[in-house]
């Protein structure tokens, strides 16, 4: 039986070469020295390939911010208490968080979903509730979730993205909230990159030296105990992942299947991207890395995925904040391609050589 | 007698420490780990100091794009023919250039001025004409302009910025158009940084190997002939500068004097910043470096000024394109400071430690 997940993976196609060639040719006709808009030109060509449109426009951005809790937070691996996950979801719904401000600035919708917060949140029309469970189990002592929950978390993220795209969203940013979620992210990064845990484990929201040492010890012990298989993304996600991480992997897969660019935020989103790419390597071409996080392991994740970040602003908040800013750069890139005059249209002389 | 230029220089005050302290304190109360919005936090604090307001808002951005021609362009130092300066001004006025597209994207006005184009342009309500002369003289054989013209170009830029600020503009970006203008910019960079010309001279709009060699030779010869004095900004500007470069230095000085942040675009704007900073070192605190250009000498300029660029997108178009994108980041930074909820307001628990 082919599941929804396998169907989505199979429907991810390569980038459209014809649209990319047309975009590349047009960039060289626009009234500027060829290549002089650098990354904007590269992004516009990638987005042409993603959307299969030679002059794509991005008018309806959405940030999908998934929230969930982590059993491992009980091990003292975070600077903030576990109740902050739920409190921040309420902050998102009232519009007071960083992601709200930055999404408003760039004209993006914020879609907030509870995919595994440890408590029940008050009903709210703006809150999607697809709780896989009341937080993961403590990965330092047992697998974070069952294999079935891992699959379910990915499918929940897929459904949320598919719904947004059906409503007209044409570029998606990923975001998350989950006290403790840099711990599973570092674990996932270690599994896929094969690098030592201590090179991939940072202070997250600001844990102190003792907390950082605990965090590294917890991750090393969990990897030794569970032996996650890097050839099996669902195995990694279930043993050392999180519900929002699985959900974001699903967002990425669904966006790619629908030919919608997906802007991958920071470290935790990067861990989700590793899961997604392990399930469907073709998804990487649909990803745009928003920024380079200061979280220590992020560079290794980006290198492993072959992604070059758009921004480098020393961010480490998550929520989708870097994705919001990068979405605006992607829109700018597409507007350059679509709206600039050509040499012929403007009556401007081209290069002499 | 105190001239307008000296008066402006004298009215540039240090950043407002009280506003910066208030902004810094508020950043630490907002619902995020302290410091987790990285450069956005730093920018918001700088802009608080610039504007002397603890919660500054930036609602009316303008890019000031100055156009002028260069006698040295006759030496074959550019990939494009000299008539392109005038053609591109017409493109700016019709809205088809890169700067028009990116300014529209971020909601910035583009102010276009002819401060020294080699031909008379058709009258246009949207074109400011303050022509210092019909292009500079060829700096490879004589000083680019007189000392009086150097002063005049700075004062023209000051007047344009003052007018924009009087109309409500609260953040200024710098831009330029002038075929051949990377040559004077490299010369200026060499004077102030003391580094070898070949380390500071790139391909500009895309000159070939032979053109690059000519360009380096021309600059080295001009510096040997004219001996510009790095302790005297007007001397440097007059001997190896350009009218738009002087004008942009004036824009920066006037913005600083009016406590308005000035976003310095790329390489040529950077050369103008060197002139401005040589006349008034305090102006540097009012500058925000938009981006790191791929033009080879830009890094040396930024290092000399002590500026850390906001963006790194491999841009090398000029016109103010990088400034437009960076202005949007500055606005985002101020909105974070102004609009995010505090821990107390949102009922979110703060760090446990």
């Amino acid at each position: 039986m082919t599941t929804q997940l396998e169907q989505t993976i199979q429907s991810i196609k390569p980038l459209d070469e014809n649209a990319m060639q047309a975009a590349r040719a047009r960039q060289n006709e626009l009234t500027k020295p060829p290549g002089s808009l650098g990354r904007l030109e590269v992004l516009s060509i990638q987005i042409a390939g993603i959307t299969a449109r030679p002059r794509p426009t991005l008018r309806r951005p959405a940030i999908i911010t998934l929230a969930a809790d982590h059993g491992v937070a009980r091990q003292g691996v975070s600077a903030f208490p576990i109740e902050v996950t739920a409190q921040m979801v309420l902050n998102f719904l009232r519009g007071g968080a960083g992601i709200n401000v930055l999404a408003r600035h760039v004209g993006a919708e914020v879609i907030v979903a509870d995919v595994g917060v440890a408590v029940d949140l008050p009903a709210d029309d703006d809150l999607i509730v697809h709780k896989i469970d009341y937080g993961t189990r403590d990965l330092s002592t047992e697998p974070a979730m069952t294999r079935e929950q891992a699959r379910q978390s990915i499918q929940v993220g897929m459904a949320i993205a598919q719904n947004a795209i059906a409503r007209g969203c044409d570029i998606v940013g990923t975001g998350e909230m989950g006290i403790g979620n840099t711990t599973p992210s570092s674990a996932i990064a270690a599994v896929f990159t094969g690098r030592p845990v201590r090179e991939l484990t940072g202070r997250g929201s600001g844990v102190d030296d003792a907390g950082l040492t605990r965090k590294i010890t917890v991750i090393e012990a969990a990897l030794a105990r569970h032996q996650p298989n890097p050839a099996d993304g669902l195995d990694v996600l279930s043993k050392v992942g999180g519900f929002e991480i699985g959900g974001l992997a699903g967002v990425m897969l669904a966006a790619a299947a629908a030919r919608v660019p997906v802007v991958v935020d920071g470290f935790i989103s990067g861990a989700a991207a590793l899961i997604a790419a392990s399930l469907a390597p073709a998804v990487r071409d649909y990803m745009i890395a928003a920024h380079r996080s200061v979280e220590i392991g992020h560079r290794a994740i980006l290198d492993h995925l072959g992604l070059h970040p758009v921004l480098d602003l020393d961010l480490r908040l998550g929520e989708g904040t870097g994705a919001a800013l990068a979405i605006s750069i992607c829109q700018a890139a597409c507007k350059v391609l679509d709206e600039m005059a050509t040499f012929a249209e403007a009556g401007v002389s081209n290069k002499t050589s």
Side-chain angles (χ1 to χ4, degrees), chain A:
Chain A
M1 194 194 78
T2 310
T3 68
Q4 200 189 343
L5 173 57
E6 278 74 28
Q7 278 174 4
T8 300
I9 288 169
Q10 283 160 21
S11 63
I12 300 174
K13 297 286 178 284
L15 300 191
D16 187 296
E17 286 293 339
N18 290 334
M20 292 175 81
Q21 264 182 21
R24 202 176 286 116
R26 181 170 165 81
Q27 282 289 6
N28 290 335
E29 289 299 312
L30 300 176
T31 45
K32 57 177 172 52
S36 62
L37 283 176
R39 292 294 308 281
L40 297 184
E41 300 189 23
V42 173
L43 280 170
S44 75
I45 293 163
Q46 182 187 358
I47 295 167
I50 290 171
T51 58
R53 294 169 59 196
R55 288 164 74 166
T57 55
L58 302 173
R59 299 214 169 90
R60 293 275 303 274
I63 313 289
I64 298 178
T65 300
L66 306 182
D69 274 308
H70 297 267
V72 72
R74 285 191 291 272
Q75 298 297 329
V77 292
S78 176
F80 284 81
I82 193 169
E83 65 263 25
V84 167
T85 304
Q87 291 168 347
M88 283 300 296
V89 171
L90 300 181
N91 198 16
F92 296 154
L93 296 171
R94 285 190 296 249
I99 185 54
N100 302 105
V101 174
L102 295 177
R104 279 198 298 270
H105 178 59
V106 304
E109 179 187 8
V110 182
I111 297 169
V112 183
D114 169 5
V115 297
V117 178
V119 297
D120 283 317
L121 290 156
D124 187 306
D125 286 347
D126 291 330
L127 177 64
I128 298 169
V129 181
H130 274 303
K131 222 187 258 289
I132 314 297
D133 203 345
Y134 291 86
T136 52
R137 298 182 179 223
D138 179 356
L139 61 83
S140 71
T141 56
E142 55 189 322
M145 64 186 89
T146 66
R147 191 173 175 94
E148 181 48 34
Q149 286 180 320
R151 175 184 293 272
Q152 206 185 332
S153 71
I154 294 174
Q155 293 190 165
V156 157
M158 283 170 39
I160 294 169
Q162 285 159 350
N163 186 269
I165 292 165
R167 287 188 295 112
C169 163
D170 52 15
I171 180 167
V172 172
T174 66
E176 41 54 51
M177 180 70 224
I179 294 302
N181 69 5
T182 56
T183 294
S185 299
S186 292
I188 291 168
V191 173
F192 287 111
T193 69
R195 297 170 69 125
V197 170
R198 73 173 56 77
E199 292 180 13
L200 302 167
T201 306
R203 294 179 186 273
S205 56
V207 83
D208 60 16
D209 286 349
L212 180 59
T213 303
R214 274 195 302 276
K215 194 171 165 181
I216 292 169
T217 307
V218 158
I219 296 169
E220 285 174 342
L223 296 178
R225 176 192 295 254
H226 304 311
Q227 297 287 326
N229 175 7
D232 179 354
L234 284 174
D235 186 64
V236 179
L237 177 59
S238 63
K239 287 173 171 168
V240 295
F243 298 133
E244 80 281 44
I245 294 172
L248 290 181
V251 167
M252 296 172 199
L253 295 170
R259 307 205 77 109
V260 166
V262 58
V263 180
V264 179
D265 188 30
F267 184 62
I268 294 113
S269 290
L274 290 172
I275 299 285
S278 79
L279 295 169
V283 74
R284 282 183 296 190
D285 293 339
Y286 290 80
M287 294 177 180
I288 295 163
H291 72 107
R292 187 189 309 287
S293 169
V294 292
E295 184 70 15
I296 188 179
H298 194 220
R299 186 183 294 258
I301 292 178
L302 293 175
D303 288 349
H304 188 80
L305 291 166
L307 298 177
H308 180 44
V310 175
L311 299 170
D312 190 359
L313 293 170
D314 297 340
L315 307 179
R316 54 179 172 85
L317 177 55
E319 301 179 3
T321 46
L325 294 175
I327 280 175
S328 182
I329 304 285
C330 294
Q331 291 178 308
C334 290
K335 288 181 181 177
V336 160
L337 177 62
D338 188 47
E339 297 179 18
M340 269 186 74
T342 63
F343 284 106
E345 284 165 356
V348 173
S349 308
N350 209 330
K351 279 178 76 164
T352 48
S353 55

